[in-house]
Amino acid sequence: MPSKQKPMRYGHTEGHTDVCFDDTGSCIVTCGSDGDVRIWENLDDDDPKSINVGEKAYSCALKNGRLITAVSNNTVQIHTFPEGAPDGILTRFTMPANHVTFSPDGTKVAAGSSDFMIKVVEVTDSSKQKTFRGHDAPVLSLSFDPKNVYLASASCDGSVRVWSIADQTCTTSWLLLQKCNDVINAKSICRLAWQPGTGKLLAVPVDKVVELFRRETWDSQFDLSDASITQPLNVVVWSPCGQFLAAGSVDGNLVVWNVETQQCIERMKHEKKYSICGLAWHPKYKQIAYTDKEGNLGLLENIGDVEKPNDKVASAVAKDYNDLFDGDDDDYLNGDVIEPPSSPKTGDHEDDADDLMQPPGHVRRAVIDDDDDNSLDIGLIKASSSLLEKEDDGDDQPGGFSALPPSSAQQPFYDGPMPTPRQKPFQSGSTPVHLMHRFMVWNSVGIIRCYNDEQDNAIDIEFHDASVHHATHLPNSLGHTMADLSTEAILLACESTEELASKLHCIHFGSWDANKEWTVDMPKDEEIEAICLGQGWAACATSALLVRVFTVGGVQKEIFTLPGPVVSMAGHGEQLMLVYHRGTGFDGDQCLGVQLMELGMKKRQILHGDPLSLTRKSYLVWVGFSAEGTPCYVDSEGIVRMLNRGLGNTWVPVCNTREHCKGKYDHYWVVGIHENPQQLRCIPCKGARFPPTLPRPAVAILPFKLPYCQVETEKGQMEEQYWRSVLFHGYMDYLSKNGYEFDENAKNQAVKEQQELLMKLFALSCKLERESRCVELAGLMTHGVLSLAIKYASRSRRLNLAQLLSEVAVEKASELAAAQQEEEEEEEEEDFRKRSSAGSSSSATKWGQLPGRNVQQDQEVEDEEETDACEEAEETPEVHKEKEPNGFSKGVTSAEVNTPKPALVASSSRGRVNPFKVSSSKKEAVVPSGNVLDNMTKYSKKTSSSGSRAADKQNPPVIKPLTPKPKTKQASAASFFQPRTPATNPGEKTVEEREEKAGNESQEAKVTAQENTENRRPRTGFQMWLEENRANILTDNPDLNEAEVIKEGMSRFRMLTSEERMVWTEKARGGRVNDSAEDKKRKRPPAEEDEVKKSQEQKSEDTNVSKRSKPLDPSTNNRLSAFAFKQS
């Protein structure tokens, strides 16, 4: 039957290794040149127990709870098993021992050394030793006779000797091997072996064959060989039943023979053809563990054979079929392994196998083997019985099996998907609890280590930033097993005992009072399974499916139920993420759900128990938040996923750590994730899933990479970079939406980077003549970059594409304007609802506090009609403020977009300032442009607004988003309450008069602008159109007020064709530049220095005029103020 070779895994450092099983076969024990003995529960054990026995370990043997090792310090040591506690030195040599082995009864140990000596020592009394001398070179290997009569040895002197243990004499000797002077120069280590049970045969690997010598006569019985063996054999080992013999060669071949038939039944080749130096046969099952000289460990399973049973065993089979076979043996007789293709690997979950899964270590087939002496031979006996040999004779085979009782022959067998054992709760950034020295948590704040050995049981806390808090050493008298760490507190939890309840212990080192610690006991029979810390709060999940929330000071807050057993939890700021079991997974998959909540002032749930996607047959190993607050998690296959808030809270894979691992069993242990800069911080672990505490592990930084297709091409690479930039800067939108501060410059830089990538993709698509793709890319561009794309298309003589892009630009502009208008109306309605209950007194107070208004309490109270007019005059700047940043508005130029807005923002944010003063940078912005495409703003509305403010304020380091919005809301909301308040500005009357004289407003505004030379604001094409068509609008709609007239005018102006709007725009330009027609036609003046000088001279002149025009009468000031707000 076909065997199954499991992939090898890293076990020790490069060098000689040895392997053996314990008495029951429940674990594999290996030793290597790193001086460690490792105890593996199975080949997939990612956390083997490690015992350091010396600098190098050459050989190991295990029996009766005692572990014997040959160490490089010339000693043979004893350790208890499985504890690994040192139990003394068994014997010493003058050179290192090369091989140690137990006698069959476990009372004696034989050791052969490089000083040519062999010693047989009593395990219980090391003073009882026997020394065997006679070899003339280092001893290579030893083997005890199963009857404790003889001891066989092989040496570098080329001889194989058989010694009589009783009288310490050499019984016989063969010169079989090639001579050499040391073990490292030997072509083969010649690990010989006696046949178990009777000791009838002695197997010796000689070059490419195995020679078998008969006991007592010491004659060579026969040789075992195979065509696949092309290099010398290194080691041989018998099966416990004595019927099979396995041999490993120096080039990685492993062969198994049936000794009685002398037939080769199994052949296996090493993955990398490394020399096999260790072999061990499982004491119960048909498995062989093997190691190579590179420190790797492998396992060969399901080793089958065809053999005739002896009469005794055959009669036992015929006597009682019920005890030996089950109902599916007919399939096994035909060589079929009854194994559901969808069933999970037994070895992956041996610790947690439930009732539907097969017992750990059993070969995966439906045969139920008992642990008696014949258990290993059941399938072999049946497969080779005379019933099968006489297949043509219908009297034997059919009759033999049809006579089986139905109860045993028809046992039901479940052939569907197998349930997956549930993953146990864990703390992110922690190593397994059973370790004596372990990490309780490693995160972006610091490290918590736990030491639990004979000397100390304590907890060490270390902060990455010592300014947060100094390092701390705590006693661990309660046996805390869970921990979390933040910048304000340390949270610990312990399991319950017979006397004590499960406890949650918090050290609030950020507290300002003296009492910084508090402890809470859980109710009876309720265990804490996971804990986490946030900003100002702590939480724990318990075995009662409860989540308990506390303040960091110890006040109990909310409590709620989880839908399933918790797996892990994490906190960051106001966010709490919980991962739990939604149900039972199948075929090795976990069935997990995730909840994401915000515990701030507005408590809400973001993710409502959505399924948590994991790689097939993997489990969760880390869950947490990035440093910027984005939820992330990592599965056992090394896939890092991040929440994409911009795509409906979906999970995006951002990195595969397995791509950076050199070995199959290497892993990266994640400790932190950063979005800006993009860094995945983790610790490389060679041959393990987590690092040791000492020496202190070094943190590596891995890059992020989204799994896009064809990333080796230029197009795929740029697409991956663009969407990765969009994803990793999405946290800024989240911070802005929730009112947090963030670096505006970083966002601008990210937008610039994204637009550059889009432009490169656009150029690449143009070269490939993919014009349809170019239009699709244009939909992702900002106004400024879209204008560049239009220019690029024009210069590339793709006029059709340029025309399509222009239509896209206009369409995007109109959509943006409509969206902004809807947003503004919604904000006004919401603000009105919020403030409608405040009353006239509160509204008057807020109205009086509006910046930029000259509040004069001694002015006479205007009537209600005049007050309404003032409201609309105040609302007018808001309309323009929202509309004008749109670079594609009809006839609006870049100067019109950029100039009024900073003045309004500056005046509103600094209280009583001159709203008409124009800085030199603003004057430069007034320079006209001849092409409407040149006037497109480079960024979106919010970005350009913040950029203008940054220019005024010399780039403030951090800008709080949404700062202007409350003021806009305040002004608009106050307008609803204006009739209830006294008029505070005499200019309101002037505004009312100007509303009544709509036909004369244009001329009056021009005169007013000429009087105050500081206010040189450009006029737009829309304003000129509105002046000429205001009368028509009022004729059609006589009931409209000023703001409604402007809105109606804007809607009518949009109805004009692009050519008509361009005419009005040109008219507006003609009125605000030099009289020279040549300057009007130029996009940019040829001599910019002259223009700068002119602007500087004009500025100084304006300043002088400003000083002279200070004592203007109040009515003039009021008219100027109303006009300025109207134009802005």
Side-chain angles (χ1 to χ4, degrees):
M1 124 182 151
S3 63
K4 179 181 176 184
Q5 178 186 1
K6 283 196 170 185
M8 298 194 73
R9 66 167 302 146
Y10 174 85
H12 298 273
T13 57
E14 180 181 351
H16 178 80
T17 51
D18 198 7
V19 62
C20 63
F21 283 96
D22 70 339
D23 297 335
T24 61
S26 61
C27 58
I28 307 171
V29 180
T30 62
C31 69
S33 57
D34 52 9
D36 288 338
V37 173
R38 292 199 168 95
I39 304 170
W40 312 76
E41 293 184 3
N42 53 65
L43 192 65
D44 300 312
D45 185 6
D46 289 322
D47 181 25
K49 183 174 181 178
S50 185
I51 306 169
N52 187 266
V53 295
E55 186 178 347
K56 288 185 178 182
Y58 295 116
S59 179
C60 63
L62 177 62
K63 207 172 190 67
N64 299 339
R66 294 181 181 272
L67 175 65
I68 308 296
T69 52
V71 191
S72 56
N73 61 357
N74 308 341
T75 62
V76 176
Q77 300 181 2
I78 306 179
H79 288 76
T80 60
F81 184 86
E83 296 82 9
D87 198 18
I89 295 175
L90 191 64
T91 187
R92 295 179 185 273
F93 294 92
T94 58
M95 293 286 286
N98 299 317
H99 192 210
V100 292
T101 182
F102 267 103
S103 62
D105 57 6
T107 59
K108 299 182 183 68
V109 170
S113 169
S114 291
D115 62 3
F116 314 166
M117 304 271 287
I118 299 171
K119 291 184 179 180
V120 176
V121 189
E122 293 279 349
V123 176
T124 56
D125 186 0
S126 59
S127 61
K128 297 179 180 179
Q129 296 187 5
K130 292 184 178 181
T131 303
F132 299 80
R133 295 179 175 88
H135 282 297
D136 299 324
V139 179
L140 291 171
S141 66
L142 302 166
S143 178
F144 267 108
D145 166 27
K147 296 184 177 180
N148 265 343
V149 177
Y150 298 109
L151 175 70
S153 65
S155 171
C156 290
D157 60 9
S159 67
V160 174
R161 294 172 180 253
V162 178
W163 308 81
S164 172
I165 299 176
D167 54 12
Q168 304 179 35
T169 59
C170 179
T171 303
T172 187
S173 175
W174 303 280
L175 195 61
L176 301 173
L177 312 176
Q178 185 174 345
K179 294 183 180 181
C180 58
N181 59 359
D182 199 357
V183 178
I184 59 173
N185 298 322
K187 286 190 175 182
S188 166
I189 59 174
C190 193
R191 291 286 164 88
L192 39 76
W194 287 93
Q195 185 179 25
T198 61
K200 179 180 177 181
L201 298 172
L202 172 63
V204 182
V206 181
D207 198 21
K208 302 173 187 176
V209 300
V210 179
E211 290 197 23
L212 289 101
F213 296 90
R214 188 173 183 84
R215 183 190 180 91
E216 302 297 347
T217 65
W218 311 117
D219 296 329
S220 177
Q221 287 289 98
F222 51 86
D223 298 340
L224 296 176
S225 61
D226 189 71
S228 65
I229 303 175
T230 59
Q231 294 292 324
L233 296 172
N234 234 2
V235 55
V236 296
V237 63
W238 291 86
S239 65
C241 63
Q243 297 175 354
F244 316 115
L245 183 68
S249 69
V250 297
D251 63 347
N253 277 319
L254 199 154
V255 183
V256 182
W257 290 278
N258 180 338
V259 178
E260 186 170 343
T261 63
Q262 302 180 26
Q263 297 294 318
C264 177
I265 62 171
E266 294 291 351
R267 297 179 183 88
M268 186 276 297
K269 288 188 177 181
H270 191 287
E271 299 171 1
K272 298 183 179 179
K273 297 185 178 180
Y274 293 152
S275 176
I276 295 177
C277 56
L279 277 181
W281 203 297
H282 196 286
K284 294 183 180 179
Y285 308 124
K286 300 175 179 64
Q287 299 177 355
I288 294 178
Y290 58 97
T291 56
D292 59 34
K293 286 196 174 181
E294 295 296 322
N296 300 308
L297 171 65
L299 193 65
L300 185 65
E301 294 183 330
N302 298 357
I303 300 168
D305 186 32
V306 177
E307 186 211 1
K308 293 183 180 180
N310 56 39
D311 295 338
K312 179 180 178 182
V313 177
S315 62
V317 173
K319 188 184 300 181
D320 191 1
Y321 280 104
N322 294 342
D323 296 336
L324 297 178
F325 307 133
D326 66 358
D328 296 300
D329 288 333
D330 291 344
D331 295 328
Y332 184 60
L333 292 176
N334 296 328
D336 296 331
V337 179
I338 301 175
E339 175 186 352
S342 61
S343 62
K345 296 181 181 179
T346 306
D348 292 345
H349 307 287
E350 288 185 357
D351 294 337
D352 305 316
D354 45 42
D355 295 336
L356 287 175
M357 299 186 67
Q358 298 169 5
H362 282 252
V363 181
R364 297 197 324 170
R365 62 174 187 267
V367 178
I368 301 175
D369 292 342
D370 296 327
D371 290 340
D372 58 12
D373 295 335
N374 296 324
S375 62
L376 285 168
D377 304 324
I378 294 171
L380 304 173
I381 294 167
K382 292 164 58 183
S384 59
S385 65
S386 58
L387 298 175
L388 292 180
E389 290 180 351
K390 298 178 182 179
E391 189 171 351
D392 296 334
D393 186 359
D395 296 334
D396 291 330
Q397 185 183 9
F401 286 93
S402 61
L404 295 178
S407 60
S408 65
Q410 302 295 329
Q411 288 183 6
F413 183 78
Y414 176 68
D415 198 17
M418 301 297 289
T420 305
R422 287 182 173 178
Q423 181 179 355
K424 296 179 181 178
F426 71 95
Q427 286 292 118
S428 292
S430 67
T431 52
V433 177
H434 68 266
L435 299 177
M436 290 189 294
H437 295 184
R438 59 180 290 256
F439 292 110
M440 298 184 75
V441 68
W442 184 323
N443 58 21
S444 58
V445 178
I447 306 170
I448 300 181
R449 297 181 183 87
C450 178
Y451 302 95
N452 184 12
D453 50 29
E454 298 176 357
Q455 289 79 22
D456 197 7
N457 186 3
I459 295 172
D460 282 345
I461 299 138
E462 173 188 344
F463 292 85
H464 300 315
D465 185 1
S467 64
V468 175
H469 197 267
H470 59 79
T472 306
H473 181 83
L474 303 173
N476 191 16
S477 57
L478 292 176
H480 293 298
T481 57
M482 291 165 274
D484 198 11
L485 182 64
S486 72
T487 54
E488 57 184 359
I490 301 165
L491 191 64
L492 302 168
C494 64
E495 300 174 350
S496 64
T497 62
E498 294 181 357
E499 300 83 10
L500 301 175
S502 182
K503 297 177 183 292
L504 185 70
H505 182 65
C506 182
I507 304 173
H508 184 201
F509 56 79
S511 173
W512 53 268
D513 63 1
N515 297 320
K516 300 180 183 297
E517 299 187 24
W518 55 269
T519 303
V520 172
D521 289 356
M522 295 295 113
K524 186 178 179 181
D525 298 329
E526 187 172 338
E527 294 280 348
I528 298 176
E529 295 185 331
I531 60 175
C532 70
L533 279 168
Q535 185 176 357
W537 57 268
C540 68
T542 68
S543 57
L545 303 185
L546 293 177
V547 176
R548 301 177 179 272
V549 184
F550 305 82
T551 65
V552 289
V555 178
Q556 297 189 59
K557 294 182 68 179
E558 293 83 5
I559 181 172
F560 59 93
T561 302
L562 271 179
V566 69
V567 176
S568 189
M569 62 193 304
H572 182 280
E574 297 176 349
Q575 301 178 85
L576 168 64
M577 181 161 59
L578 295 153
V579 180
Y580 58 90
H581 290 286
R582 296 175 60 245
T584 301
F586 288 86
D587 289 349
D589 297 330
Q590 297 288 330
C591 183
L592 305 181
V594 58
Q595 288 185 358
L596 180 62
M597 311 176 68
E598 291 184 356
L599 302 178
M601 296 297 294
K602 295 181 179 179
K603 296 178 175 58
R604 56 178 181 163
Q605 195 165 2
I606 309 300
L607 298 177
H608 304 265
D610 299 351
L612 192 71
S613 57
L614 297 172
T615 309
R616 289 278 296 157
K617 299 187 184 303
S618 69
Y619 52 91
L620 192 67
V621 296
W622 187 90
V623 60
F625 293 84
S626 68
E628 291 76 15
T630 304
C632 308
Y633 67 93
V634 186
D635 62 29
S636 59
E637 292 299 316
I639 305 298
V640 183
R641 292 179 176 86
M642 178 179 289
L643 186 70
N644 186 358
R645 302 182 193 271
L647 193 63
N649 290 328
T650 52
W651 297 97
V652 180
V654 295
C655 183
N656 183 0
T657 61
R658 297 291 302 162
E659 293 179 352
H660 303 274
C661 295
K662 295 181 180 179
K664 180 178 178 63
Y665 292 96
D666 296 346
H667 296 88
Y668 279 95
W669 194 63
V670 176
V671 297
I673 295 175
H674 293 254
E675 296 178 76
N676 189 20
Q678 296 179 18
Q679 292 180 349
L680 175 63
R681 302 190 177 185
C682 46
I683 296 171
C685 305
K686 187 172 178 61
R689 287 194 174 272
F690 50 84
T693 55
L694 293 174
R696 182 189 175 99
V699 177
I701 295 177
L702 297 183
F704 290 102
K705 182 180 178 182
L706 303 187
Y708 276 83
C709 301
Q710 297 179 330
V711 290
E712 66 278 357
T713 64
E714 187 179 5
K715 171 180 173 290
Q717 190 175 2
M718 287 190 290
E719 288 170 340
E720 189 273 337
Q721 290 176 359
Y722 172 77
W723 289 111
R724 175 155 46 88
S725 178
V726 171
L727 174 64
F728 278 82
H729 291 92
Y731 75 92
M732 295 185 180
D733 296 332
Y734 172 77
L735 296 179
S736 173
K737 183 179 178 181
N738 288 272
Y740 291 99
E741 295 182 354
F742 66 96
D743 189 358
E744 192 81 21
N745 294 331
K747 183 171 184 179
N748 294 341
Q749 184 64 30
V751 173
K752 180 181 178 182
E753 172 190 336
Q754 294 163 15
Q755 297 303 313
E756 287 177 355
L757 288 168
L758 286 176
M759 196 62 209
K760 290 179 182 177
L761 282 168
F762 181 87
L764 182 62
S765 300
C766 281
K767 290 180 182 178
L768 299 175
E769 297 184 354
R770 299 274 188 177
E771 296 191 359
S772 175
R773 184 182 295 170
C774 293
V775 177
E776 293 171 347
L777 289 170
L780 301 173
M781 294 179 178
T782 59
H783 297 164
V785 178
L786 190 53
S787 66
L788 294 177
I790 296 173
K791 289 180 182 178
Y792 185 91
S794 301
R795 291 174 182 173
S796 302
R797 299 184 180 180
R798 302 179 186 275
L799 301 182
N800 186 29
L801 175 60
Q803 180 63 30
L804 290 173
L805 294 179
S806 300
E807 294 175 3
V808 170
V810 174
E811 183 180 353
K812 287 185 67 175
S814 60
E815 291 176 357
L816 184 62
Q820 291 172 359
Q821 185 173 354
E822 291 177 3
E823 181 182 353
E824 180 186 349
E825 291 174 356
E826 290 176 0
E827 288 179 356
E828 289 180 354
E829 292 176 3
E830 181 182 358
D831 198 70
F832 175 71
R833 286 195 301 268
K834 287 182 179 179
R835 297 174 183 264
S836 59
S837 60
S840 59
S841 60
S842 62
S843 64
T845 303
K846 292 183 178 292
W847 180 243
Q849 292 175 350
L850 283 176
R853 294 181 55 86
N854 297 324
V855 182
Q856 300 180 5
Q857 298 294 338
D858 57 340
Q859 294 294 328
E860 65 182 41
V861 177
E862 298 291 335
D863 58 17
E864 185 174 350
E865 185 179 2
E866 292 174 336
T867 307
D868 291 339
C870 183
E871 290 175 23
E872 305 306 330
E874 285 292 301
E875 286 181 1
T876 303
E878 297 176 16
V879 175
H880 284 281
K881 177 181 172 184
E882 294 294 323
K883 305 297 178 187
E884 287 185 2
N886 182 355
F888 294 98
S889 293
K890 288 52 180 181
V892 181
T893 65
S894 61
E896 295 161 348
V897 172
N898 296 331
T899 304
K901 192 169 182 181
L904 180 59
V905 175
S907 63
S908 63
S909 61
R910 285 178 285 181
R912 298 182 181 180
V913 296
N914 186 353
F916 311 108
K917 184 165 184 178
V918 182
S919 65
S920 59
S921 61
K922 297 173 189 173
K923 290 198 174 215
E924 292 171 4
V926 181
V927 177
S929 175
N931 190 347
V932 69
L933 296 176
D934 293 341
N935 305 324
M936 301 174 184
T937 54
K938 188 167 187 181
Y939 301 114
S940 61
K941 182 190 80 162
K942 292 185 178 180
T943 308
S944 62
S945 169
S946 60
S948 301
R949 292 197 302 273
D952 282 343
K953 299 183 180 181
Q954 298 299 323
N955 296 328
V958 177
I959 299 176
K960 190 165 213 173
L962 309 178
T963 301
K965 283 191 176 180
K967 293 165 186 171
T968 303
K969 291 180 183 178
Q970 195 177 15
S972 58
S975 65
F976 290 99
F977 299 96
Q978 190 62 23
R980 303 181 187 178
T981 62
T984 57
N985 196 326
E988 294 169 0
K989 188 172 183 179
T990 306
V991 174
E992 176 64 19
E993 291 173 358
R994 198 161 60 252
E995 285 180 0
E996 294 173 358
K997 302 174 183 178
N1000 300 328
E1001 181 182 358
S1002 175
Q1003 183 65 28
E1004 183 180 353
K1006 292 180 181 178
V1007 173
T1008 307
Q1010 291 172 359
E1011 290 177 359
N1012 188 352
T1013 56
E1014 283 189 1
N1015 186 18
R1016 294 182 178 271
R1017 298 183 180 272
R1019 300 202 320 167
T1020 65
F1022 167 70
Q1023 289 175 331
M1024 295 188 68
W1025 178 87
L1026 184 63
E1027 289 172 1
E1028 294 193 11
N1029 293 273
R1030 183 187 299 273
N1032 296 335
I1033 296 174
L1034 290 174
T1035 301
D1036 297 339
N1037 303 281
D1039 297 332
L1040 297 182
N1041 55 30
E1042 179 64 18
E1044 292 171 345
V1045 168
I1046 293 173
K1047 291 182 179 179
E1048 177 65 21
M1050 291 179 69
S1051 62
R1052 292 190 182 188
F1053 187 71
R1054 291 195 189 106
M1055 300 292 292
L1056 299 178
T1057 64
S1058 58
E1059 291 80 4
E1060 292 174 343
R1061 291 198 295 271
M1062 285 295 295
V1063 170
W1064 284 104
T1065 302
E1066 293 298 330
K1067 286 183 181 180
R1069 288 178 181 161
R1072 66 172 186 269
V1073 297
N1074 295 335
D1075 295 333
S1076 171
E1078 184 177 346
D1079 288 343
K1080 290 181 182 178
K1081 295 178 182 178
R1082 291 177 182 168
K1083 290 184 179 179
R1084 300 189 69 84
E1088 291 186 357
E1089 295 181 358
D1090 295 338
E1091 288 294 318
V1092 173
K1093 291 180 181 178
K1094 288 180 182 179
S1095 64
Q1096 292 176 349
E1097 293 172 2
Q1098 185 66 42
K1099 179 180 177 182
S1100 61
E1101 180 182 347
D1102 291 345
T1103 306
N1104 296 333
V1105 174
S1106 169
K1107 293 178 180 178
R1108 291 197 301 271
S1109 60
K1110 268 189 177 179
L1112 290 174
D1113 61 293
S1115 61
T1116 304
N1117 278 335
N1118 293 335
R1119 297 202 326 248
L1120 287 173
S1121 175
F1123 176 71
F1125 279 118
K1126 176 184 174 184
Q1127 283 211 338
S1128 60

